Amino acid sequence: MQSFQFAWLLCLVSLVVNPVVASDLLMPIRIETGLIEGTINQEGNVIVFKGIPYAAAPEGDLRWREPQPALKWDGIRRADSWGASCVQPASSLLPPYTAEFASTNLTSEDCLFLNVWTPSRTATEPRAVLFYIHGGSGTRGSGSISIYDGEELAKKGILVVTVNFRLGIFSGMGHPELTKESPHGSCGNYGMLDLIAALRWVQANIAAFGGDPKKVTICGQSSGSVAMHYLTTSLLAKGLFRSAIGVSFPYDYLTKRHAIGNVWQKEQEGLKFAMAKNAKSINDLRRIAASELIAADPAVGSFTRSCLSGSPNIDGWSFIDKYPEALDKGLASDVPILTGMTVDDFGPPAEYTQTTVTNLSAVLPSMFGEKRQEFEKHQPTFMASHTIATDQDARRFAKQIQVEYRLFDILRWAKRRSQTATTPVYTYLFEQAIPWPQHPRYGSFHSSDLVYWFNNLKQLDRPWTEVDRRIADQASSYWVNFVKTGNPNGEGLPEWLPLHLDRPTTMAIRADLGEREIAAKERLEFYQTVAVPLER
């Protein structure tokens, strides 16, 4: 009897000293496929579940098929290690991208896993969920990359889900036999269908982790942002989320002709690919090793670019129209969107460019891409209205024009969206550069803002300052507020105004955080003059 009382007393003391042991989430929890158990962080306030299968392994006969249900298991599955990343070329790790930005673990076709970070203490109400889609041009990436670690965001009271999905040719392959196999007459959208399957998994299972399936925010960066925007136009994804975040989305997608086509075009690309691989049928292709399919092959040539792309094609089922047309027809989910870019997304800081007074007139047109010729027609008048005295003036002016025009692209997208949508858009320009004394020329480069949004400065060995830590805390708090409510504003943060189409400003994420003009009125009018009409 005394030993029982002593054991009971020890248990009571442990609950007082470390109350998280009382949390249901430390016990095995049940999801559709079985019992699962995560691991708790050192502070005892976040539990992570790694490598949860949300669909069956898309290998063998399931290669290039729509995602199938995950297999069930007996007993308790220990979710304490990452699942394999999807098949992809080896990371080159060229600066500024160090190992923290790259997928470095095992790759396999058996890769349809996701990861969940959740506060260890259950709340009185289910918590909102951030569903993060990695970038990588549709050919690289993983949900296990260290800068996407969700622990710090979970500490602020939300759940974080990161996901793997098929990449490259395993995502975008088309072929007449694949269309015939599909009950929906679809092919080449496998990566996007994986994401929809993962979102459905969230709807069915996230409550077991303390999450609210009615409060899901989809978030993507770079090509992941492209995927996010397309998900807003898919009828299959309707109702699976209530808000969206787009990090460094290339909004000039609305003004240029890109590789997104239809099923027939995908089929023709796939036939050429099969011929180059000496494959007479899709089953012949399924027997070829994954490593051989992604190997550099001169016989394949450039025609595989869209075949390898993770961008969706119009199949009349998962996607029924191109993104711009879907906006015009009101097919896109009308949800609040938070979106923007880094100040050096499209080039280095001004002081590290080769622009001079002499070559400025040649440099500027290149910033307008496909609008270059239109810009050149108006360039003499435009340049006559500005005084550029020194090379430093030239560099700063060129950078300013580049950034303003990219922000103008976002404004054009928002105006087009407003014709059929009523929910707000919040935009930003991320100006804080990672402190990197060895490589200052990279500035606030593409993807560098993610370590701030995720509040993950600890994942990078850099000489962080108090300003960096403050910005990371503020940026991540904006994200958490937006995930919780559809509005980034909250106590202790400078007000973030929704985009006003007639008086456009954007939130500048920098030391003196606050709203800034997109551009002076006369320059906005000029950008509208030189811009190629939006594709219809």
Side-chain angles (χ1 to χ4, degrees):
M1 183 68 176
Q2 286 180 337
S3 62
F4 172 79
Q5 290 175 331
F6 182 69
W8 181 86
L9 181 61
L10 282 179
C11 181
L12 181 61
V13 170
S14 69
L15 286 174
V16 173
V17 173
N18 186 18
V20 296
V21 299
S23 169
D24 291 339
L25 295 176
L26 271 179
M27 306 296 289
I29 63 174
R30 182 170 294 279
I31 58 176
E32 287 180 314
T33 42
L35 289 170
I36 193 166
E37 187 174 53
T39 58
I40 195 162
N41 68 344
Q42 288 185 341
E43 297 173 47
N45 53 11
V46 174
I47 300 175
V48 58
F49 298 81
K50 298 177 180 178
I52 307 172
Y54 67 87
E59 55 189 356
D61 189 52
L62 294 185
R63 182 190 281 178
W64 300 315
R65 288 188 191 271
E66 293 146 18
Q68 301 299 307
L71 299 178
K72 296 184 178 182
W73 57 80
D74 297 322
I76 299 172
R77 184 184 180 105
R78 286 281 293 165
D80 57 359
S81 59
W82 305 117
S85 299
C86 291
V87 176
Q88 57 194 276
S91 297
S92 57
L93 294 182
L94 295 175
Y97 300 107
T98 52
E100 297 88 352
F101 291 85
S103 174
T104 56
N105 67 331
L106 175 74
T107 63
S108 169
E109 286 187 82
D110 182 5
C111 65
L112 299 187
F113 301 102
L114 53 74
N115 316 294
V116 180
W117 288 261
T118 180
S120 60
R121 296 294 294 172
T122 54
T124 55
E125 294 183 356
R127 302 177 190 271
V129 181
L130 176 72
F131 180 93
Y132 181 74
I133 306 166
H134 68 75
S137 301
T139 60
R140 287 182 169 87
S142 172
S144 61
I145 291 175
S146 63
I147 62 170
Y148 311 151
D149 189 290
E151 180 179 332
E152 296 302 318
L153 293 182
K155 288 177 182 178
K156 294 191 174 191
I158 64 172
L159 275 70
V160 178
V161 177
T162 63
V163 61
N164 296 348
F165 49 95
R166 278 173 281 186
L167 303 168
I169 198 158
F170 301 97
S171 170
M173 179 69 181
H175 194 282
E177 291 180 41
L178 293 177
T179 307
K180 187 176 180 180
E181 284 179 356
S182 168
H184 307 285
S186 173
C187 72
N189 283 333
Y190 307 110
M192 295 298 297
L193 291 171
D194 291 344
L195 290 171
I196 293 170
L199 282 167
R200 287 176 172 165
W201 182 96
V202 168
Q203 290 296 309
N205 295 284
I206 207 65
F209 301 85
D212 189 341
K214 296 179 182 178
K215 297 180 179 179
V216 176
T217 297
I218 55 174
C219 171
Q221 188 264 345
S222 193
S223 61
S225 187
V226 175
M228 178 280 288
H229 277 283
Y230 264 94
L231 285 172
T232 67
T233 70
S234 173
L235 297 182
L236 300 183
K238 288 282 187 183
L240 301 182
F241 54 90
R242 67 163 190 174
S243 53
I245 300 173
V247 182
S248 296
F249 175 65
Y251 284 95
D252 55 352
Y253 254 52
L254 299 187
T255 60
K256 68 182 182 182
R257 303 184 186 280
H258 40 86
I260 298 171
N262 55 37
V263 169
W264 181 85
Q265 289 170 316
K266 281 283 186 180
E267 290 176 346
Q268 302 313 302
E269 294 162 356
L271 287 170
K272 292 177 184 177
F273 182 83
M275 185 179 300
K277 293 294 184 181
N278 296 315
K280 296 181 180 179
S281 68
I282 202 67
N283 285 332
D284 287 345
L285 280 173
R286 284 179 171 138
R287 285 190 284 267
I288 296 176
S291 57
E292 186 178 339
L293 288 177
I294 66 170
D297 186 349
V300 172
S302 61
F303 66 79
T304 60
R305 286 180 183 172
S306 56
C307 185
L308 293 172
S309 169
S311 297
N313 69 85
I314 309 308
D315 60 7
W317 169 57
S318 53
F319 298 95
I320 62 176
D321 226 326
K322 288 186 177 184
Y323 179 73
E325 286 75 8
L327 280 186
D328 295 342
K329 296 174 183 177
L331 299 176
S333 296
D334 189 1
V335 298
I337 293 178
L338 187 154
T339 189
M341 65 182 198
T342 69
V343 72
D344 300 312
D345 243 328
F346 304 96
E351 57 267 34
Y352 295 98
T353 67
Q354 301 302 312
T355 306
T356 65
V357 172
T358 304
N359 67 15
L360 177 62
S361 60
V363 168
L364 284 180
S366 65
M367 297 178 180
F368 289 80
E370 293 186 5
K371 303 106 175 177
R372 175 178 186 138
Q373 290 184 338
E374 190 66 26
F375 173 79
E376 287 174 338
K377 295 178 185 176
H378 301 270
Q379 188 171 359
T381 303
F382 178 67
M383 294 301 295
S385 61
H386 297 87
T387 301
I388 310 296
T390 67
D391 289 346
Q392 188 178 45
D393 290 342
R395 292 185 181 109
R396 290 177 177 172
F397 180 71
K399 186 66 179 183
Q400 180 181 352
I401 298 305
Q402 179 192 52
V403 170
E404 287 181 355
Y405 193 70
R406 292 292 180 171
L407 291 173
F408 171 74
D409 262 340
I410 298 177
L411 176 62
R412 287 218 294 168
W413 160 78
K415 285 184 175 180
R416 186 167 187 168
R417 174 186 180 273
S418 70
Q419 301 304 307
T420 55
T422 60
T423 49
V425 170
Y426 297 89
T427 71
Y428 68 85
L429 178 66
F430 201 97
E431 299 187 49
Q432 182 71 7
I434 288 178
W436 202 1
Q438 298 87 344
H439 299 286
R441 66 186 182 279
Y442 295 117
S444 182
F445 61 87
H446 187 70
S447 303
S448 65
D449 54 333
L450 292 172
V451 297
Y452 294 90
W453 293 119
F454 278 93
N455 202 16
N456 266 340
L457 304 190
K458 64 182 180 182
Q459 297 291 345
L460 280 175
D461 182 16
R462 300 287 187 269
W464 302 111
T465 67
E466 286 304 313
V467 171
D468 291 300
R469 284 184 275 272
R470 172 167 52 82
I471 291 175
D473 181 57
Q474 292 171 321
S476 59
S477 293
Y478 279 130
W479 260 23
V480 167
N481 292 339
F482 185 78
V483 171
K484 288 180 177 179
T485 68
N487 185 325
N489 292 292
E491 186 177 353
L493 293 169
E495 185 179 10
W496 189 333
L497 300 173
L499 182 63
H500 192 299
L501 299 180
D502 294 327
R503 292 180 285 101
T505 61
T506 193
M507 176 59 79
I509 310 291
R510 58 192 183 194
D512 57 334
L513 187 76
E515 296 282 334
R516 58 158 276 178
E517 264 191 325
I518 285 179
K521 182 180 179 182
E522 62 271 15
R523 277 212 288 274
L524 284 177
E525 293 173 350
F526 175 74
Y527 298 144
Q528 184 64 55
T529 299
V530 302
V532 171
L534 291 173
E535 196 178 73
R536 293 286 177 180

